Amino acid sequence: MIEYVLLHDGTLDGIFTAIYDGFALKKSVYKDKYDDNIAVASKNNYEAHLFCNYIEVATDSTKAAKTVEYIVKKLGMAGYDMAMGVACHFSEEAGEVLFAFLVRGFKVGKGIINKLTDKWVMRAFELSRKTYNESHLMREFIRFSDMRGRLYAKIEPKCNILHMMCNHFADRFPGENWVIFDATHKIAAVHPCYKGWFLMDDLDVDFDRIDEMAHDEYVDLWKLFVDTIAIEERRNEKCQNNHLPKWYRKNMTEWNRRE
Amino acid sequence: MFGSDFFMEIIKKEFFAEDNSILEQAKNVPYDDGVILRDVSYKLKILTDAAKYDVACTSSGVTRKGNGKTMGNAAACGICHAFAADGRCISLLKILMSNECVFDCKYCINRSSNDVPRATFTPDEICKLTMEFYRRNYIEGLFLSSGVIKNPNYTMELMYEVVRRLRVDHGFNGYIHIKAIPGAAQELVEAIGYLADRMSINLEMPTGEGLKEMAPHKTRNTILKPMKQIQTGIFNNRLSHGITDKKSAMQMRNYGDDLYESALSSKLLAGESKVISENRNNDFIIGTRGKYFVPAGQSTQMIVGATKESDYHIINVAEALYKNYDLKRVFYSAYIPINDDSALPALDVKPPLLREHRLYQADFLLRFYGFKASELLTEERPFFNENIDPKCDWAVRHLEHFPVEINQADIAVLLRVPGIGVKSARRIVQARRLGVIDFGDLKKMGVVLKRALYFITCKGKMMYDTKLEESYIVNHLIYNEPPHKAVGQAEANYSQMSLFDYYGKEMYGDNYIFDNHFVTNSKATMGGGV
Ligand code: SF4
């Protein structure tokens, strides 16, 4: 039964600060009588319950860094990746699952990721798999537009996956200035050419205006290519839908046919 | 914290601009690199249309990290970027360099005797398209094929020029697949091989006679010779990197550096390389200095249904290609009647998509499931069953091997059970070290129980009270009836098996035609539960 919910600001630093504070709380309030009473949640995305205490957490990147370090030390890289996958999932329960997963992980150690018989670990496994799937698909389906030599892309992912995609594109386009806007989470990844990428948060972006600015001639060439490459005699929309979920299409160049 | 204030300024200004003049400017930037997009657009339509019948569009087989300087990297599992209306994945910019072909292959839309619009890209146009599509994340790279301009060598020299410019002048580090032209000189194949990731040369027809009938300008020899050359080149090159097995994906290092070193010498060459000569000796300096030869391996393609060859012929040829030529993939392409020709199926004949599909399934059985072609078909029984897939077909004709006990059977035996894929077979073997497996667990491991249940036991028990009898199992498999219900023999039920079922993920796990969509951990997921 959840008695305390630590509310963070939805950023990665925020989540890991809340975890840090959560474990401090667990130690001081419950000692060894703990029975999954603590969860973390984003203050923008939670359902209030009557008998629950809500504590707002002030994001503190030192605490967050310590938490990450501790998770890596205790659970190994694979365990950390799984925790990260859960932390970035959009569902309301993710915070509860993450906390429960870490409580068990800190006890069990590196073997935790295989302990799928525990229902919390199983749930963590499922959530994190969904997150990584989305990040993988987004890597394929994201489209950049050229704005006077700079690349710009807009995505609307359900999970907070922007940071998971950036190494891939930094490796692939080292000499480009590129920006990816995540309109769902109002954050952006910025990559100045030949430098490391970084995240910017709290963005309010007028996308219509940007679309207006992006006047990219290759868009038409690409649409022409996609239309022409299909073999009419083999038309198979079901198969297409199966491979390319409609959800992803709204920001894909070739599906964007306003004119 | 982030540094790079300068760039922040740019971002603020350009992406959150208040100032309208920037908007105006953005719209008025002219392109001034000599490539005229209107021409490119015209050619792109013709040369994409002309290339669309080629099947392979995978970007798999090689891992190459970015070099930190120029654009591009590659992932062995392949990355898919879009799906066309026919459901096929788009991974590469698949175009012909030219369709101004002097050959007259009967089955081909570009044959010289056809009256179709013709076009030829310049190397710069292709480079430009590839680079610009790539940086927008539309594609993983280029798949370049071509009709024969003047003669095979002339054509291949132009193709070489495209790859050279991409790799050296543009530093392109993404995926390149080049189709070799039958009859081109060895030196050209070699030079391109050191710059491309994958090469292929189409076998076109399963038999030499079929080829003679259909492609008067090609011979079996002009196809098999370069295929052999590429195979030998790959083999020796892998050995020089200390790789002795023939299957593993190549992990490449220092690719870019290597090319830059030789860039200079190639620049010196550039003036001269315009000379088209049949017998040049050692002009392709980059080629001989390159470190990797066709690192993503070789593939080929056969047309199905244009000539009389049976499935038996086709899979035997495929088997020989895998065995004797170390091919990565053999692709099958259902013939689509485009030319009115007495030697070909009539124009209203539907492309044999189901047949093509069965061949792909059989191909997977050859590559991943330890089957031999002779086990699947014989001269007396030369075609696959339309109603059930080749693995089920084999199983019901070999019921003496079944049922198989999940908790004991060897992995090679598990692989032969319908509904058990490579991945699930591996999971079973792993899981049973820790405990006893029951039917409930199988489902979680990805086994397609509705097909497997007729052929397996868990802890000595069948799942339902089913009969180990050919006609009984076939009926259930075809009509998709739950085994505990009455067998519905009504013909109408056949409609349940739409083509979508064949292509559906549910039946075949992941993808079996294109080895690269949705594959997070590459090899293991291929072919799911064939
Ligand atoms: S060589 Fe034959 S198959 Fe190739 S483009 Fe020319 S006519 Fe077509």
Side-chain angles (χ1 to χ4, degrees), chain B residues 96 98 101-105 107-112 146-148 204 215 218:
Chain B
L96 296 192
S98 170
C101 190
V102 295
F103 282 12
D104 199 33
C105 310
Y107 50 84
C108 176
I109 185 85
N110 305 312
R111 62 183 189 179
S112 57
S146 184
V148 182
E204 311 290 16
K218 294 178 184 168

Side-chain angles (χ1 to χ4, degrees), chain B residues 9 19 51 112 119 179 185 195 204 223 232 266 271 287 293 298 318 348 364 409 424 428 433 448-449 466 498 502 508:
Chain B
E9 271 314 303
D19 179 3
S112 57
K179 185 137 286 191
L195 296 173
E204 311 290 16
I223 294 171
T232 316
S266 82
F293 184 79
Q298 177 174 208
D348 55 357
F364 265 80
S424 41
I428 289 170
R433 292 202 192 111
V448 186
L449 271 179
T466 49
S498 69
Y502 299 125
Y508 294 103

